[in-house]
Amino acid sequence: MPAPPLKPVIWLGDSLRELKTFPAAVQDEMGYAIYLAQRGDKHVSAKPLKGLGTGVLEVVSDHRGDTFRSVYTVRFGDRVFVLHAFQKKSKSGVATPKADIELIKQRLKQAVEISRKKE
């Protein structure tokens, strides 16, 4: 039985440009996580991002003392939307900084609008 076609990826805002600035090993891990999402699977380190509802996932990658994150949604079944990619600078625990959460919420609204237009 052939594999189902991959879902297209929609990169919102500067998420692709930011991801390309990450170390190669981090890019590989996050790229693989997005590829798995395209196939309808979930990467071992993809976790739900709390407070944003179902289908919004975050991949956290630690590399040489730095922490990198990418956030994507599979909420809209036919596509994967990458909402944000960033290096976590704050040393105040594991919580995602408020400014990043606000940006993710804003881009999630964009994803909703794009999905509605397609219907």
Side-chain angles (χ1 to χ4, degrees):
M1 189 165 132
L6 294 178
K7 298 173 186 177
V9 176
I10 310 295
W11 299 87
L12 295 179
D14 62 355
S15 55
L16 179 59
R17 187 174 69 236
E18 285 299 314
L19 185 71
K20 286 181 173 182
T21 68
F22 294 174
V26 174
Q27 288 184 45
D28 289 347
E29 181 178 7
M30 295 191 174
Y32 184 60
I34 292 164
Y35 164 73
L36 289 175
Q38 287 181 275
R39 284 187 19 194
D41 294 327
K42 190 175 130 205
H43 191 275
V44 66
S45 59
K47 307 281 187 256
L49 188 58
K50 292 183 178 96
L52 292 174
T54 58
V56 178
L57 300 161
E58 177 178 51
V59 177
V60 178
S61 182
D62 293 313
H63 181 77
R64 296 185 180 166
D66 292 320
T67 300
F68 299 88
R69 296 179 177 203
S70 63
V71 179
Y72 64 91
T73 184
V74 293
R75 187 179 291 172
F76 312 104
D78 60 338
R79 293 182 266 188
V80 176
F81 287 88
V82 181
L83 304 173
H84 193 25
F86 61 104
Q87 180 178 354
K88 186 169 183 297
K89 306 256 193 240
S90 168
K91 301 298 178 200
S92 61
V94 296
T96 303
K98 187 168 175 33
D100 290 303
I101 290 290
E102 291 306 314
L103 184 59
I104 292 163
K105 286 180 179 176
Q106 179 186 336
R107 290 184 180 164
L108 190 55
K109 286 179 186 171
Q110 271 185 283
V112 170
E113 290 303 312
I114 292 167
S115 290
R116 281 197 185 129
K117 287 178 185 165
K118 186 177 182 254
E119 291 173 1

